[in-house]
Structure formats: structure tokens, C-alpha cells
Amino acid sequence: MARSSLGPGLDGILIVDKPIGPTSHDIVGLVRRLAATKRVGHGGTLDPFASGVLPVFLGRGTRVVEFHLGDRKAYRATVCFGASSSTDDLEGERTPARGPAPTRSVVEAALPGLTGTISQRPPAYSAIKVGGRRAYALARAGETITLAEREVTIHELALVTWDDSEPDRPIAIVDVVCSAGTYIRALARDLGERVGSAAYLGALRRTATGPFSDAEAIPLDDVRAAAAAGPGSLSALLKPIDAGLERFPDVPITETELEAVARGQFVRTAAGFPGGAERYRLRAPDGTLAAIATDAGAGRLAPDKVLVEPTRVNAAAAAGA
């Protein structure tokens, strides 16, 4: 049985350890060149001054990016007290705080109030659109904008270290686990305000996104070295397309069902499937991932993301060529 990819190049997920400096788009462009494939995307933007876990999806892997965008994130953040910033981070113009710098105990006491589901005002310098324009473009043009608050969830917020060697400008390092869409810059700003001072984000590292952690993130130099060694070496760095989608039950399908799935047709699988799942991973007889499907009712599955091509159609086309 021969099945082909929907396109040339490598298929899978590359967990990159993004360094400080390049944008997430820069990383995508680099991986696109190294892998010699056009279809590359990432699973959640990191600001240029931030480092850490950046999942990069290649080839057919780009078909599953949407299932990771809502993954919760984990960060290690450096919060600098004693001043506010126009961008809520170290890159903005800073203004000294009016109130006294907080103590460690005051900061620790404030953390529970920023935990759970909270309302957060995004930074003025953000990519949110206002009247069709990006907020950061309006802010850079000198316009005063106030973005609407949104609900985010802070699952965990803990103080890791406290440095008050400069009493007027203490620094806290905190670990954060939060919902997608949370601005850690805004969290640092709000923490400063909550303790009667001011604060901005001095450094940020993403330590995890969904199931992917920094323990498995690959430095760019290692990615470059693997690419230089050949496609096989780069392919060895990739995780399977469905890595991190274990919440979608596996459903084995027969060869006949596989051909129907490849054509995008509904199937009533011989193996059956458990009800109530968000999606299902359809497995070909050889164990490869054939598609992500949804429950269409009446015991049928509807292919949503098809990852194979119909072999019989290909064979017929080749015979008629």
C-alpha cells in the first residue's frame, strides 16, 4: 500500500528553543529554509526579547496547529519593581514609581489575588487590532488607546527568587502557568500596581506550551547542524504530527476505510469508537496517522484533517497518463 504526503518536505513538529532576539516569524523562516519546505508554521508567538519553547510545525504538521493554539503556557518571568514601562517590558520608556518599592512579603501576599480567572487589560503595544490597525502601530504614532479587558486564567503563580540588593528596585522571578492569550507583560504591570508601586517585565522564558517543555526544546545551532547533515538528521529531530494530541482517541481503520477517508468521505469504522470525544485520530493499518476526524453521528466519523491521498485515484491517474 503506497500513500503519499500532501506535499514535499518533512512532516512533523520541531520543538525549537527560541533564543532572545529573533521574532517567531524569523524562526519559521529559518526552519523553512533549512527544511526546504514551504509549509511551516508556529504554535504561539514569542516576543523578540523572550526565549524558550516554540513548537514549529512542518509539512502535514501544519494541519494540526489549530489544535495547539489553546494550550496552556508556562513561563519563568523576571519582574522588575520600582518603575513602569510604556510597553510594560524592558524595551519601553520607563517612569519611576511614585510609591515605595515593595518587600518580598508584600509581593507574595499579592500573588493569590492575581491567580484564577482574572480580567486583564492587554498592553497598549500589542498586536490587537483597533479599527483595523494594530495597537502597537497606534501607540507608536502617539495615539492614546485603552484596550478592552479580557478574561484570562492564571493557573499557577509562584515566587521563585527575590533580589533586593537594590532596595528601590527589587527584582522577583516568578513561575506562571496560564491560559493561552495571557500577556505576561500585563501581569507584571498589574502586580506592580497591586503592591502600590510599579513594575515591568525584565525578561521572559517560555518553559512549556501544552505538552511540550523546555527539556525537549532544541537549540537553533543543533537544528542548523542537523540540517547540514542531511534530511535524515533533521527528520530525526521531529516529533510525530499528532504529538500532544493524546486527548483524541485512536481509532484503527481498515484498508477500505482508509481509501474512503483519503477521499474525505464519512466512514462507519469496523472497530467502532468511543463517543463524546472532541476529535479522533484515524490510524491506517500500518499505524500511520491518516486523518483527524469528528463524530458525525449515527456511528460515523467525518474526516476533518486528511493527511493522506487516495492511492487508487493516484494509480488510475498514473495509468491514464
Side-chain angles (χ1 to χ4, degrees):
M1 177 182 63
R3 291 188 304 279
S4 62
S5 162
L6 293 178
L10 302 172
D11 302 307
I13 306 173
L14 180 67
I15 311 303
V16 175
D17 189 340
K18 182 188 114 43
I20 295 171
T23 65
S24 298
H25 182 72
D26 291 336
I27 300 299
V28 166
L30 174 63
V31 172
R32 182 180 291 120
R33 293 192 297 274
L34 294 176
T37 182
K38 293 182 179 179
R39 292 191 300 164
V40 182
H42 67 76
T45 301
L46 273 175
D47 288 333
F49 75 86
S51 66
V53 180
L54 182 68
V56 177
F57 299 79
L58 291 81
R60 293 183 299 165
T62 58
R63 303 295 305 281
V64 303
V65 173
E66 66 182 80
F67 302 127
H68 291 279
L69 295 181
D71 287 346
R72 64 173 59 180
K73 309 292 193 291
Y75 298 93
R76 176 154 289 187
T78 300
V79 181
C80 303
F81 294 92
S84 61
S85 165
S86 58
T87 58
D88 295 330
D89 60 36
L90 77 166
E91 297 185 332
E93 181 180 348
R94 292 192 280 277
T95 303
R98 294 181 179 179
T103 63
R104 174 173 184 151
S105 60
V106 167
V107 169
E108 287 184 310
L111 298 182
L114 288 170
T115 305
T117 299
I118 63 173
S119 292
Q120 184 181 78
R121 174 171 51 85
Y125 285 81
S126 65
I128 295 173
K129 285 190 175 181
V130 179
R133 296 180 64 189
R134 299 291 184 184
Y136 61 74
L138 296 172
R140 288 171 182 164
E143 296 188 32
T144 300
I145 56 173
T146 301
L147 299 175
E149 293 189 353
R150 55 177 62 185
E151 280 196 348
V152 299
T153 301
I154 309 300
H155 299 283
E156 299 176 24
L157 181 58
L159 180 65
V160 179
T161 64
W162 178 260
D163 179 2
D164 58 1
S165 55
E166 293 186 57
D168 293 336
R169 293 182 293 178
I171 296 174
I173 294 180
V174 297
D175 280 347
V176 185
V177 179
C178 58
S179 61
T182 301
Y183 283 93
I184 307 301
R185 287 181 286 152
L187 187 65
R189 176 201 67 211
D190 293 347
L191 179 57
E193 293 175 355
R194 187 170 286 262
V195 298
S197 180
Y200 62 91
L201 185 64
L204 184 66
R205 179 170 178 79
R206 183 190 283 163
T207 55
T209 174
F212 309 125
S213 72
D214 56 0
E216 57 191 334
I218 303 168
L220 280 184
D221 284 347
D222 291 354
V223 176
R224 291 189 180 95
S233 296
L234 187 56
S235 179
L237 300 182
L238 302 184
K239 289 184 172 295
I241 293 172
D242 59 336
L245 297 181
E246 289 75 16
R247 66 184 184 277
F248 300 166
D250 269 331
V251 178
I253 57 177
T254 66
E255 188 68 32
T256 299
E257 293 164 355
L258 175 62
E259 289 296 337
V261 166
R263 293 183 174 87
Q265 300 171 350
F266 289 17
V267 292
R268 185 174 281 107
T269 63
F273 58 91
E278 175 192 348
R279 296 285 196 286
Y280 298 87
R281 292 178 292 170
L282 305 188
R283 294 282 179 194
D286 64 359
T288 58
L289 182 67
I292 304 293
T294 59
D295 188 343
R300 300 175 306 164
L301 289 173
D304 181 17
K305 305 293 182 182
V306 178
L307 305 171
V308 293
E309 292 179 342
T311 56
R312 292 171 190 167
V313 170
N314 292 344

